Amino acid sequence: MPTAGKVIKCKGQLQMFSKLSPFVVFYQIKTVHFGWINMVLCANSLIGCWIRAAAVAWEAGKPLSMEEVEVAPPQAMEVRVKILFTSLCHTDVYFWEAKTPVFPRIFGHEAGGIVESVGEGVTDVAPGDHVLPVFTGECKECAHCKSAESNMCDLLRINTDRGVMIGDGKSRFSINGKPIYHFVGTSTFSEYTVMHVGCVAKINPEAPLDKVCVLSCGISTGLGASINVAKPPKGSTVAVFGLGAVGLAAAEGARIAGASRIIGVDLNPNRFEEARKFGCTEFVNPKDHSKPVQEVLAEMTNGGVDRSVECTGNINAMIQAFECVHDGWGVAVLVGVPHKDAEFKTHPMNFLNERTLKGTFFGNFKPRTDLPNVVELYMKKELELEKFITHTVPFSEINKAFDLMAKGEGIRCIIRMDH
Ligand code: NAD
Ligand code: ZN
């Protein structure tokens, strides 16, 4: 039986769940942290399976559908988290549109929530802890986690093809016994989700989750791509390709690092005015020029920019971002997630002329170790997050967040799970 509250009534939906198990009992309980919770107690399990709303993608590119999903208890080294706020990142949209075999699926990876229960062996977090899910985990044991230079954990690095938990190869989500697949180990478009403990960063409980949830992916990624990877010297010139949330965070990072010229490059001119708030000083729309954008940038900067950060996911922009850096010292950083068949083509001479090309996941931050400190930057008012949040919708209207991104409107849309 759950210890956090008392059973007050049986909801009379036994019939609906009797297909799952003849011993299933359906309860509604009130808990200290989580309010009213519908719960199924399975005959063979003391921790219940929650039946809660989740936005399920049944097919590629089709609007998400609100469903009652059974969320199984966390197994060894897993945690079950009540998601309070989540937001939409372009990576969700890309894999929602992609015709992969991993459907039906629950997307979502940028979020904030509270740990509800933990599985065997979990000691780092406890019920009630405030956490940010992270799509690329940190086991703290492998060679990557032990290296100061890498955040590419052997066990928990991003895997967009996997739709199940790594512990037993099964999904923790189901509808009438049919599995619904996970996405990048997080699946935050659900009132409850189950994650490996290595994919949650425990943060300061004072931090407002409706703001710091955007640090769980996009903003940390862009910020880290500049500060940790591109490392622009003071007074340098930086080009940022793509002025969505990730690119604007990269511009913010370049400004914090002391860059004096930050050139925003985007095909959508509606992005430009807003981008000034994030440190962009000049803008280039490739559509306004007949010559390649790398030539336009070389002319503007006496031979090339010192650093460039690509945040579009478009292969042409990736090539342009590399070819626009100055020979001798220029560094380009790729952040966008490319199409699976994309090929990066450039002349090898561009490398011989001492240009450097790098790529990064999550801005090279180690999620569990570093993310709490990024949250503290916000708490100390050294990092502003409010300006990234342009829209808010209730969970029931999650498809509006997809429409906004498709139209290129706004930066981040927060999805409130309590509505
Ligand atoms: P977004 O859709 O909000 O922004 C992308 C911007 O790029 C848009 O303003 C668009 O107009 C612009 N753009 C597209 N093609 C362009 C081109 N050829 N030239 C110039 N501008 C172009 O997306 P977002 O949420 O900010 O994410 C940006 C990218 O970063 C996506 O590819 C996403 O998948 C990726 N991402 C990567 C990581 C990582 O760890 N590497 C993490 C999060 C997101
Ligand atoms: Zn690891």
Short mmCIF file of all heavy atoms in Angstrom, two decimals, residues 169-219:
data_model
loop_
_atom_site.label_atom_id
_atom_site.label_comp_id
_atom_site.label_asym_id
_atom_site.label_seq_id
_atom_site.Cartn_x
_atom_site.Cartn_y
_atom_site.Cartn_z
N GLY A 169 14.89 -4.05 -21.13
CA GLY A 169 14.44 -4.00 -22.53
C GLY A 169 12.94 -3.87 -22.69
O GLY A 169 12.39 -4.19 -23.76
N LYS A 170 12.24 -3.42 -21.63
CA LYS A 170 10.77 -3.28 -21.73
C LYS A 170 10.36 -1.84 -21.53
O LYS A 170 11.09 -1.05 -20.93
CB LYS A 170 10.10 -4.12 -20.63
CG LYS A 170 10.25 -5.60 -20.84
CD LYS A 170 9.48 -6.36 -19.79
CE LYS A 170 9.68 -7.85 -19.98
NZ LYS A 170 9.55 -8.58 -18.75
N SER A 171 9.14 -1.52 -22.01
CA SER A 171 8.59 -0.18 -21.79
C SER A 171 7.87 -0.15 -20.44
O SER A 171 7.35 -1.17 -19.99
CB SER A 171 7.61 0.16 -22.90
OG SER A 171 6.95 1.37 -22.58
N ARG A 172 7.87 1.00 -19.80
CA ARG A 172 7.10 1.16 -18.55
C ARG A 172 5.72 1.76 -18.84
O ARG A 172 4.95 1.98 -17.92
CB ARG A 172 7.84 2.09 -17.57
CG ARG A 172 9.21 1.61 -17.19
CD ARG A 172 9.17 0.45 -16.18
NE ARG A 172 10.53 -0.06 -16.03
CZ ARG A 172 11.03 -1.11 -16.69
NH1 ARG A 172 10.26 -1.80 -17.53
NH2 ARG A 172 12.28 -1.48 -16.52
N PHE A 173 5.42 2.07 -20.10
CA PHE A 173 4.12 2.64 -20.46
C PHE A 173 3.30 1.59 -21.21
O PHE A 173 3.85 0.88 -22.08
CB PHE A 173 4.27 3.82 -21.43
CG PHE A 173 5.06 4.98 -20.89
CD1 PHE A 173 6.29 5.31 -21.44
CD2 PHE A 173 4.57 5.77 -19.85
CE1 PHE A 173 7.02 6.39 -20.96
CE2 PHE A 173 5.27 6.85 -19.37
CZ PHE A 173 6.50 7.16 -19.92
N SER A 174 2.00 1.54 -20.90
CA SER A 174 1.14 0.64 -21.69
C SER A 174 -0.30 1.13 -21.67
O SER A 174 -0.70 1.87 -20.77
CB SER A 174 1.22 -0.79 -21.16
OG SER A 174 0.80 -0.82 -19.82
N ILE A 175 -1.03 0.72 -22.70
CA ILE A 175 -2.48 0.94 -22.74
C ILE A 175 -3.11 -0.41 -23.02
O ILE A 175 -2.79 -1.05 -24.03
CB ILE A 175 -2.86 1.95 -23.85
CG1 ILE A 175 -2.25 3.33 -23.56
CG2 ILE A 175 -4.39 2.05 -23.97
CD1 ILE A 175 -2.54 4.38 -24.61
N ASN A 176 -3.95 -0.86 -22.11
CA ASN A 176 -4.57 -2.20 -22.23
C ASN A 176 -3.53 -3.28 -22.52
O ASN A 176 -3.74 -4.15 -23.36
CB ASN A 176 -5.64 -2.20 -23.32
CG ASN A 176 -6.77 -1.28 -22.98
OD1 ASN A 176 -7.06 -1.06 -21.80
ND2 ASN A 176 -7.40 -0.70 -24.00
N GLY A 177 -2.39 -3.16 -21.87
CA GLY A 177 -1.35 -4.18 -22.01
C GLY A 177 -0.45 -3.99 -23.22
O GLY A 177 0.56 -4.68 -23.36
N LYS A 178 -0.79 -3.05 -24.11
CA LYS A 178 0.03 -2.84 -25.32
C LYS A 178 1.10 -1.79 -25.00
O LYS A 178 0.77 -0.70 -24.52
CB LYS A 178 -0.88 -2.34 -26.45
CG LYS A 178 -0.19 -2.10 -27.77
CD LYS A 178 -1.24 -1.65 -28.79
CE LYS A 178 -0.71 -0.90 -29.99
NZ LYS A 178 0.46 -1.36 -30.63
N PRO A 179 2.39 -2.12 -25.25
CA PRO A 179 3.43 -1.16 -24.87
C PRO A 179 3.40 0.12 -25.70
O PRO A 179 3.08 0.10 -26.89
CB PRO A 179 4.73 -1.92 -25.13
CG PRO A 179 4.38 -3.04 -26.03
CD PRO A 179 2.92 -3.34 -25.85
N ILE A 180 3.69 1.23 -25.02
CA ILE A 180 3.87 2.52 -25.68
C ILE A 180 5.35 2.84 -25.46
O ILE A 180 5.83 2.76 -24.32
CB ILE A 180 3.00 3.62 -25.04
CG1 ILE A 180 1.53 3.16 -24.91
CG2 ILE A 180 3.12 4.93 -25.80
CD1 ILE A 180 0.78 2.99 -26.21
N TYR A 181 6.07 3.21 -26.50
CA TYR A 181 7.52 3.33 -26.38
C TYR A 181 7.99 4.66 -25.78
O TYR A 181 7.31 5.67 -25.88
CB TYR A 181 8.18 3.10 -27.74
CG TYR A 181 7.98 1.68 -28.21
CD1 TYR A 181 7.14 1.40 -29.28
CD2 TYR A 181 8.58 0.63 -27.53
CE1 TYR A 181 6.91 0.10 -29.69
CE2 TYR A 181 8.35 -0.69 -27.92
CZ TYR A 181 7.53 -0.94 -29.00
OH TYR A 181 7.30 -2.23 -29.38
N HIS A 182 9.18 4.59 -25.20
CA HIS A 182 9.82 5.77 -24.61
C HIS A 182 10.59 6.53 -25.70
O HIS A 182 10.84 6.00 -26.78
CB HIS A 182 10.84 5.34 -23.54
CG HIS A 182 10.24 4.67 -22.35
ND1 HIS A 182 10.26 5.23 -21.10
CD2 HIS A 182 9.62 3.47 -22.21
CE1 HIS A 182 9.69 4.40 -20.23
NE2 HIS A 182 9.29 3.33 -20.89
N PHE A 183 10.98 7.74 -25.35
CA PHE A 183 11.82 8.56 -26.24
C PHE A 183 13.01 9.09 -25.44
O PHE A 183 12.82 9.68 -24.37
CB PHE A 183 11.00 9.72 -26.81
CG PHE A 183 11.78 10.65 -27.70
CD1 PHE A 183 12.36 10.19 -28.88
CD2 PHE A 183 11.96 11.99 -27.36
CE1 PHE A 183 13.10 11.05 -29.70
CE2 PHE A 183 12.68 12.85 -28.17
CZ PHE A 183 13.25 12.38 -29.35
N VAL A 184 14.19 8.87 -25.94
CA VAL A 184 15.48 9.27 -25.36
C VAL A 184 15.54 9.12 -23.82
O VAL A 184 16.16 9.91 -23.13
CB VAL A 184 15.95 10.68 -25.80
CG1 VAL A 184 16.25 10.70 -27.29
CG2 VAL A 184 14.96 11.80 -25.45
N GLY A 185 14.87 8.08 -23.34
CA GLY A 185 14.95 7.75 -21.91
C GLY A 185 14.21 8.71 -21.00
O GLY A 185 14.36 8.64 -19.77
N THR A 186 13.40 9.63 -21.57
CA THR A 186 12.76 10.66 -20.74
C THR A 186 11.22 10.66 -20.86
O THR A 186 10.54 10.67 -19.85
CB THR A 186 13.30 12.05 -21.08
OG1 THR A 186 13.19 12.25 -22.49
CG2 THR A 186 14.74 12.20 -20.63
N SER A 187 10.70 10.75 -22.08
CA SER A 187 9.23 10.72 -22.32
C SER A 187 8.45 11.60 -21.34
O SER A 187 7.65 11.13 -20.54
CB SER A 187 8.70 9.28 -22.26
OG SER A 187 9.19 8.56 -23.35
N THR A 188 8.68 12.90 -21.47
CA THR A 188 8.09 13.82 -20.49
C THR A 188 6.71 14.35 -20.87
O THR A 188 6.13 15.12 -20.12
CB THR A 188 9.03 15.02 -20.25
OG1 THR A 188 9.22 15.70 -21.50
CG2 THR A 188 10.37 14.57 -19.70
N PHE A 189 6.17 13.94 -22.03
CA PHE A 189 4.80 14.36 -22.37
C PHE A 189 3.81 13.41 -21.70
O PHE A 189 2.90 12.85 -22.32
CB PHE A 189 4.59 14.37 -23.89
CG PHE A 189 5.43 15.39 -24.62
CD1 PHE A 189 5.62 15.29 -26.00
CD2 PHE A 189 6.03 16.45 -23.94
CE1 PHE A 189 6.39 16.23 -26.68
CE2 PHE A 189 6.81 17.38 -24.62
CZ PHE A 189 6.99 17.28 -25.98
N SER A 190 4.03 13.20 -20.42
CA SER A 190 3.22 12.29 -19.62
C SER A 190 3.21 12.81 -18.20
O SER A 190 4.24 13.31 -17.72
CB SER A 190 3.86 10.88 -19.67
OG SER A 190 3.15 10.01 -18.84
N GLU A 191 2.07 12.69 -17.53
CA GLU A 191 2.01 13.19 -16.14
C GLU A 191 3.02 12.46 -15.25
O GLU A 191 3.55 13.03 -14.31
CB GLU A 191 0.60 13.04 -15.59
CG GLU A 191 -0.37 14.03 -16.22
CD GLU A 191 -1.75 13.94 -15.63
OE1 GLU A 191 -2.31 12.83 -15.63
OE2 GLU A 191 -2.28 14.95 -15.18
N TYR A 192 3.24 11.17 -15.55
CA TYR A 192 4.28 10.40 -14.85
C TYR A 192 5.17 9.74 -15.88
O TYR A 192 4.68 9.30 -16.92
CB TYR A 192 3.65 9.30 -13.98
CG TYR A 192 3.12 9.85 -12.69
CD1 TYR A 192 1.86 10.42 -12.65
CD2 TYR A 192 3.89 9.84 -11.53
CE1 TYR A 192 1.37 10.97 -11.47
CE2 TYR A 192 3.41 10.38 -10.36
CZ TYR A 192 2.15 10.95 -10.34
OH TYR A 192 1.69 11.49 -9.18
N THR A 193 6.46 9.67 -15.58
CA THR A 193 7.36 8.95 -16.47
C THR A 193 8.37 8.19 -15.63
O THR A 193 8.58 8.50 -14.46
CB THR A 193 8.05 9.92 -17.46
OG1 THR A 193 8.74 9.16 -18.45
CG2 THR A 193 9.04 10.85 -16.76
N VAL A 194 8.99 7.20 -16.25
CA VAL A 194 10.02 6.41 -15.57
C VAL A 194 11.33 6.61 -16.31
O VAL A 194 11.37 6.54 -17.55
CB VAL A 194 9.64 4.91 -15.52
CG1 VAL A 194 10.75 4.09 -14.86
CG2 VAL A 194 8.33 4.72 -14.77
N MET A 195 12.37 6.92 -15.55
CA MET A 195 13.69 7.17 -16.15
C MET A 195 14.77 6.41 -15.39
O MET A 195 14.59 6.12 -14.19
CB MET A 195 14.02 8.67 -16.08
CG MET A 195 13.21 9.50 -17.04
SD MET A 195 13.48 11.26 -16.81
CE MET A 195 12.30 11.57 -15.54
N HIS A 196 15.88 6.15 -16.06
CA HIS A 196 17.05 5.63 -15.34
C HIS A 196 17.53 6.75 -14.42
O HIS A 196 17.50 7.93 -14.81
CB HIS A 196 18.15 5.27 -16.34
CG HIS A 196 19.27 4.51 -15.72
ND1 HIS A 196 20.23 5.12 -14.95
CD2 HIS A 196 19.57 3.18 -15.73
CE1 HIS A 196 21.08 4.21 -14.51
NE2 HIS A 196 20.70 3.02 -14.97
N VAL A 197 17.98 6.41 -13.22
CA VAL A 197 18.38 7.45 -12.27
C VAL A 197 19.53 8.30 -12.83
O VAL A 197 19.67 9.48 -12.47
CB VAL A 197 18.75 6.82 -10.90
CG1 VAL A 197 19.99 5.93 -11.00
CG2 VAL A 197 18.92 7.90 -9.84
N GLY A 198 20.30 7.74 -13.76
CA GLY A 198 21.40 8.50 -14.37
C GLY A 198 20.92 9.57 -15.34
O GLY A 198 21.72 10.37 -15.83
N CYS A 199 19.62 9.58 -15.63
CA CYS A 199 19.06 10.57 -16.57
C CYS A 199 18.27 11.65 -15.85
O CYS A 199 17.46 12.35 -16.48
CB CYS A 199 18.18 9.88 -17.61
SG CYS A 199 19.11 8.82 -18.70
N VAL A 200 18.45 11.77 -14.53
CA VAL A 200 17.80 12.88 -13.83
C VAL A 200 18.84 13.64 -13.01
O VAL A 200 19.70 13.04 -12.36
CB VAL A 200 16.63 12.44 -12.90
CG1 VAL A 200 15.52 11.80 -13.69
CG2 VAL A 200 17.10 11.54 -11.79
N ALA A 201 18.77 14.96 -13.10
CA ALA A 201 19.67 15.81 -12.32
C ALA A 201 18.88 16.39 -11.16
O ALA A 201 17.84 17.03 -11.37
CB ALA A 201 20.23 16.92 -13.19
N LYS A 202 19.36 16.14 -9.94
CA LYS A 202 18.68 16.67 -8.74
C LYS A 202 19.08 18.13 -8.59
O LYS A 202 20.27 18.45 -8.60
CB LYS A 202 19.12 15.85 -7.53
CG LYS A 202 18.54 16.30 -6.23
CD LYS A 202 18.99 15.33 -5.14
CE LYS A 202 18.80 15.95 -3.77
NZ LYS A 202 19.19 15.03 -2.71
N ILE A 203 18.10 18.99 -8.44
CA ILE A 203 18.39 20.43 -8.39
C ILE A 203 17.85 21.06 -7.10
O ILE A 203 17.08 20.45 -6.38
CB ILE A 203 17.82 21.17 -9.62
CG1 ILE A 203 16.30 21.00 -9.68
CG2 ILE A 203 18.47 20.68 -10.91
CD1 ILE A 203 15.60 22.07 -10.49
N ASN A 204 18.24 22.30 -6.91
CA ASN A 204 17.79 23.11 -5.77
C ASN A 204 16.25 23.14 -5.74
O ASN A 204 15.62 23.59 -6.70
CB ASN A 204 18.35 24.53 -5.99
CG ASN A 204 18.01 25.47 -4.87
OD1 ASN A 204 17.16 25.18 -4.05
ND2 ASN A 204 18.69 26.61 -4.87
N PRO A 205 15.64 22.68 -4.65
CA PRO A 205 14.16 22.66 -4.61
C PRO A 205 13.52 24.04 -4.62
O PRO A 205 12.33 24.18 -4.86
CB PRO A 205 13.84 21.91 -3.31
CG PRO A 205 15.08 21.97 -2.49
CD PRO A 205 16.24 22.12 -3.42
N GLU A 206 14.33 25.07 -4.35
CA GLU A 206 13.81 26.45 -4.39
C GLU A 206 13.65 26.95 -5.83
O GLU A 206 12.98 27.94 -6.08
CB GLU A 206 14.79 27.42 -3.70
CG GLU A 206 15.13 27.08 -2.26
CD GLU A 206 13.97 27.38 -1.35
OE1 GLU A 206 13.44 28.49 -1.45
OE2 GLU A 206 13.58 26.49 -0.57
N ALA A 207 14.34 26.31 -6.78
CA ALA A 207 14.31 26.79 -8.17
C ALA A 207 12.92 26.58 -8.77
O ALA A 207 12.37 25.48 -8.67
CB ALA A 207 15.36 26.04 -8.99
N PRO A 208 12.33 27.63 -9.38
CA PRO A 208 10.98 27.46 -9.95
C PRO A 208 11.03 26.53 -11.17
O PRO A 208 11.67 26.85 -12.18
CB PRO A 208 10.59 28.89 -10.35
CG PRO A 208 11.87 29.63 -10.48
CD PRO A 208 12.89 28.97 -9.60
N LEU A 209 10.33 25.41 -11.06
CA LEU A 209 10.41 24.40 -12.13
C LEU A 209 9.81 24.90 -13.44
O LEU A 209 10.20 24.46 -14.52
CB LEU A 209 9.71 23.11 -11.70
CG LEU A 209 10.49 22.26 -10.69
CD1 LEU A 209 9.61 21.13 -10.16
CD2 LEU A 209 11.76 21.69 -11.30
N ASP A 210 8.86 25.87 -13.36
CA ASP A 210 8.27 26.38 -14.61
C ASP A 210 9.27 27.23 -15.40
O ASP A 210 9.04 27.52 -16.57
CB ASP A 210 6.98 27.15 -14.35
CG ASP A 210 7.18 28.35 -13.44
OD1 ASP A 210 8.15 28.38 -12.66
OD2 ASP A 210 6.35 29.28 -13.49
N LYS A 211 10.37 27.64 -14.78
CA LYS A 211 11.42 28.39 -15.49
C LYS A 211 12.62 27.48 -15.80
O LYS A 211 13.06 27.39 -16.94
CB LYS A 211 11.91 29.58 -14.65
CG LYS A 211 10.81 30.51 -14.16
CD LYS A 211 10.22 31.31 -15.30
CE LYS A 211 9.19 32.33 -14.87
NZ LYS A 211 8.09 31.83 -14.05
N VAL A 212 13.12 26.80 -14.77
CA VAL A 212 14.37 26.05 -14.97
C VAL A 212 14.17 24.79 -15.81
O VAL A 212 15.15 24.18 -16.25
CB VAL A 212 15.08 25.71 -13.64
CG1 VAL A 212 15.49 26.98 -12.92
CG2 VAL A 212 14.25 24.81 -12.75
N CYS A 213 12.90 24.42 -16.10
CA CYS A 213 12.68 23.25 -16.96
C CYS A 213 13.35 23.44 -18.32
O CYS A 213 13.78 22.46 -18.93
CB CYS A 213 11.20 22.94 -17.10
SG CYS A 213 10.23 24.20 -17.94
N VAL A 214 13.49 24.68 -18.78
CA VAL A 214 14.10 24.88 -20.11
C VAL A 214 15.61 24.59 -20.08
O VAL A 214 16.24 24.47 -21.14
CB VAL A 214 13.83 26.29 -20.70
CG1 VAL A 214 12.36 26.50 -20.96
CG2 VAL A 214 14.39 27.40 -19.82
N LEU A 215 16.18 24.44 -18.88
CA LEU A 215 17.60 24.08 -18.79
C LEU A 215 17.81 22.58 -19.00
O LEU A 215 18.94 22.12 -19.13
CB LEU A 215 18.16 24.47 -17.42
CG LEU A 215 18.33 25.97 -17.19
CD1 LEU A 215 18.73 26.25 -15.75
CD2 LEU A 215 19.38 26.54 -18.15
N SER A 216 16.73 21.83 -19.02
CA SER A 216 16.88 20.38 -19.13
C SER A 216 17.32 19.94 -20.53
O SER A 216 17.80 18.84 -20.71
CB SER A 216 15.58 19.73 -18.66
OG SER A 216 15.09 18.77 -19.48
N CYS A 217 17.21 20.84 -21.52
CA CYS A 217 17.79 20.53 -22.84
C CYS A 217 18.30 21.78 -23.54
O CYS A 217 19.47 22.12 -23.44
CB CYS A 217 16.81 19.78 -23.74
SG CYS A 217 17.49 19.54 -25.40
N GLY A 218 17.39 22.48 -24.24
CA GLY A 218 17.81 23.50 -25.22
C GLY A 218 18.74 24.59 -24.70
O GLY A 218 19.76 24.88 -25.33
N ILE A 219 18.38 25.18 -23.58
CA ILE A 219 19.14 26.36 -23.14
C ILE A 219 20.54 25.94 -22.65
O ILE A 219 21.54 26.58 -22.98
CB ILE A 219 18.38 27.14 -22.04
CG1 ILE A 219 16.92 27.38 -22.46
CG2 ILE A 219 19.09 28.44 -21.70
CD1 ILE A 219 16.72 27.99 -23.82
#
